[in-house]
């Protein structure tokens, strides 16, 4: 197929607290059940007919978010308290996951395939998405 793109999606969820900085003020620490949706896409399949093994993507995603589970995002890299690190907004959480996942999957993806988007649901109806430009 000319112009075909294959996509696969992997979902995970983790519980974590955060307190973001908005206009110079730090909000109160509060928690979420963060839902993560990752989309990997590419124009070619490997010799087994796979874009990438779902299990590889799932394990890689888990390794990225496991340090954040049941803790405070403000206490772990790359986020840090008092504005010294990355502000742990939903947008930055999505971007951080996307970049770490892309690095983790670099050897597992066929040529031309990549992490195309990561969506993070912070609360029902509140979704931030990082998309490869």
């Amino acid at each position: 197929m000319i112009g075909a793109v294959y996509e696969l999606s992997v979902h995970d969820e983790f519980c974590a607290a955060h307190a973001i900085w908005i206009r110079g003020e730090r909000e109160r620490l509060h928690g979420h059940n963060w839902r993560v949706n990752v989309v990997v896409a590419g124009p070619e399949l490997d010799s087994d007919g796979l874009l990438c093994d779902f299990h590889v993507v799932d394990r890689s995603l888990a390794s990225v978010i496991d340090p954040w589970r049941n803790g405070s995002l403000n206490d772990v890299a790359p986020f840090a308290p008092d504005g010294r690190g990355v502000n742990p907004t939903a947008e930055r959480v999505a971007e951080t996951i996307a970049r770490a996942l892309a690095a983790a999957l670099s050897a597992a993806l066929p040529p031309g395939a990549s992490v195309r988007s990561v969506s993070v649901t912070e609360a029902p109806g509140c979704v931030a998405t990082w998309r490869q430009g």
Side-chain angles (χ1 to χ4, degrees), residues 35-48:
R35 290 172 184 85
V36 180
N37 182 52
V38 171
V39 176
V40 174
E44 306 271 332
L45 302 179
D46 67 14
S47 60
D48 295 321

Side-chain angles (χ1 to χ4, degrees):
M1 268 190 208
I2 296 174
V5 174
Y6 300 94
E7 288 187 348
L8 60 88
S9 296
V10 173
H11 309 275
D12 203 341
E13 184 172 329
F14 66 99
C15 297
H18 73 155
I20 65 173
W21 290 84
I22 302 173
R23 293 181 285 288
E25 297 286 324
R26 184 175 185 230
E27 68 180 2
R28 188 174 60 100
L29 184 69
H30 61 283
H32 297 287
N33 291 328
W34 301 82
R35 290 172 184 85
V36 180
N37 182 52
V38 171
V39 176
V40 174
E44 306 271 332
L45 302 179
D46 67 14
S47 60
D48 295 321
L50 297 170
L51 179 62
C52 188
D53 183 346
F54 278 111
H55 299 293
V56 171
V57 179
D58 189 51
R59 282 192 302 268
S60 297
L61 176 58
S63 72
V64 170
I65 63 177
D66 277 349
W68 305 343
R69 290 183 195 278
N70 301 311
S72 171
L73 296 179
N74 296 81
D75 294 336
V76 293
F79 314 106
D82 302 326
R84 292 186 307 246
V86 175
N87 196 14
T89 63
E91 295 88 343
R92 292 296 189 196
V93 170
E95 177 187 16
T96 300
I97 291 169
R99 294 188 188 286
L101 191 58
L105 292 175
S106 64
L109 297 177
S114 63
V115 175
R116 291 293 166 90
S117 67
V118 173
S119 295
V120 173
T121 301
E122 182 181 276
C126 300
V127 181
T129 300
W130 174 94
R131 191 174 320 282
Q132 183 181 32

